Amino acid sequence: MSDGFRDPTAIDTGTDSFEHPGRARRAVVLRERIEELAPPGSAERRRVDDARGWAGRGYWDDLNVTVAQGQAQQAATAEQSVLVTDALRRAARGEVGEDTGEDLQAAELAAAVELLQEARNAPLRLILAHRVAAYVLTFVASLGLNRALVWSGVLDFSLWGWLFWIPVLAAEAKLRRAKKLGQERVVARIQARHDEARSKPSAGVA
């Protein structure tokens, strides 16, 4: 018994042709059509192979992919924290950043520096500089406070410990806002460049 979907192009035409001749013929036509529309090495073929691979995956395959994606996201998040912290330190030393142009990552970092430079954001900068430790300490503190309030008899059920997460969530919100702001700036610059390119021929004709 299969734990995933069967690839429609992988039908065993040797035995299936006797039991389901119509389906076997359609499978042959489908394979030929895929070869025509998505030749090997093309971007279309890669998308087809990805789709076929997904269709044939089982539960454990999906779980492994999910774990790998989570690890990749964690690595990207850690790298982002390091880049933002370095950019903030350069800004604190008075180093003037170069024009980011249409570089998306540079635009996002520049936006993060702008949003986190003020003195009131010092706790958020500290959290981002020590992101993993901040998450661990916040989890321990929130869980400890909730249990202490319950064990002491002050409350039957406590959510007060979750207040410790407010600074962490605020730091994450700043990064999301910086990411969005950087993307908007890059899109605006690209649009301005295209508008300028379209206006040059008309100016020459005039």
Side-chain angles (χ1 to χ4, degrees), residues 104-120:
L104 180 58
Q105 186 181 63
E108 292 175 359
L109 287 176
V113 170
E114 292 178 17
L115 296 176
L116 291 165
Q117 267 189 329
E118 298 181 7
R120 62 180 181 179

Side-chain angles (χ1 to χ4, degrees), residues 128-180:
L128 293 175
H130 308 281
R131 199 169 193 162
V132 175
Y135 269 87
V136 173
L137 291 176
T138 301
F139 175 78
V140 172
S142 62
L143 183 63
L145 178 60
N146 286 334
R147 291 193 172 182
L149 291 174
V150 173
W151 288 344
S152 65
V154 176
L155 296 172
D156 294 330
F157 179 74
S158 173
L159 293 176
W160 287 101
W162 294 108
L163 294 177
F164 285 115
W165 286 98
I166 292 178
V168 175
L169 296 178
E172 296 292 346
K174 284 285 187 181
L175 289 185
R176 288 195 299 271
R177 184 180 171 192
K179 186 177 183 67
K180 182 178 180 181

Side-chain angles (χ1 to χ4, degrees), residues 31-73:
R31 283 199 297 267
E32 293 176 350
R33 188 62 173 163
I34 289 175
E35 292 293 333
E36 178 184 351
L37 297 177
S42 65
E44 291 78 8
R45 173 54 69 88
R46 286 195 296 271
R47 286 193 288 270
V48 170
D49 291 340
D50 290 341
R52 291 173 61 185
W54 175 87
R57 289 208 311 255
Y59 171 79
W60 290 111
D61 295 320
D62 288 336
L63 182 60
N64 290 332
V65 170
T66 301
V67 171
Q69 290 175 343
Q71 292 174 341
Q73 181 62 37

